[in-house]
Amino acid sequence: EQGKPLEIYYQDGIYKLLFEPKGIDWKEHFSARLKPDTAIYSPDKKVLTIVEKKQQEAEGSVAEKLQTCDYKLTYYKTLAEPLGIRVELIWLLGPYFEKRQETLKSVFKYMKEKGSKYYFRRIPINEISI
């Protein structure tokens, strides 16, 4: 038996197509609205997978953004849990991060401890709850 199709949202689409029609208003909980790069919702599994894509070529603040994983997870869980939806956060990281795994080791450890997954260049399909 075939299940319900996956729903894929980009940026503001998650609000217009998923949260707002179900009566969830981010303004009731937060001062600023986060926009996911990509969000994949599996109605069958009731799991919302937020995919954050980070590409970087040189030193800069993008590496620091990885440390926001805990806040991002809390943000989306706050909006999704009243709907009975579980949230997963996956980071898709470019070659810059792959080359600096050793120097960013403490950041990657923190991300794992806070419940975020991360992959370089590609996300294995079996890592997305669909």
Side-chain angles (χ1 to χ4, degrees), residues 19-112:
F19 292 132
E20 290 169 10
K22 292 177 172 48
I24 302 296
D25 184 359
W26 65 271
K27 291 184 224 90
E28 293 177 12
H29 308 279
F30 300 100
S31 57
R33 177 160 78 167
L34 298 182
K35 297 179 184 181
D37 292 324
T38 305
I40 304 165
Y41 177 54
S42 171
D44 289 339
K45 295 201 173 187
K46 296 205 61 114
V47 175
L48 178 65
T49 303
I50 304 296
V51 179
E52 290 293 331
K53 303 170 196 164
K54 296 296 170 226
Q55 300 292 325
Q56 186 166 336
E57 299 302 323
E59 296 294 326
S61 65
V62 175
E64 292 173 11
K65 289 180 181 167
L66 301 178
Q67 298 169 37
T68 65
C69 61
D70 192 28
Y71 181 78
K72 286 182 187 282
L73 214 42
T74 298
Y75 178 94
Y76 291 111
K77 281 181 176 180
T78 300
L79 299 179
E81 284 179 347
L83 304 173
I85 297 172
R86 191 166 52 86
V87 175
E88 295 179 350
L89 178 59
I90 299 178
W91 297 76
L92 178 58
L93 307 174
Y96 171 89
F97 297 99
E98 192 171 26
K99 292 177 194 151
R100 286 160 186 78
Q101 286 182 70
E102 195 55 39
T103 54
L104 294 171
K105 187 166 48 178
S106 63
V107 174
F108 291 137
K109 180 179 180 220
Y110 176 79
M111 291 170 74
K112 279 187 176 173

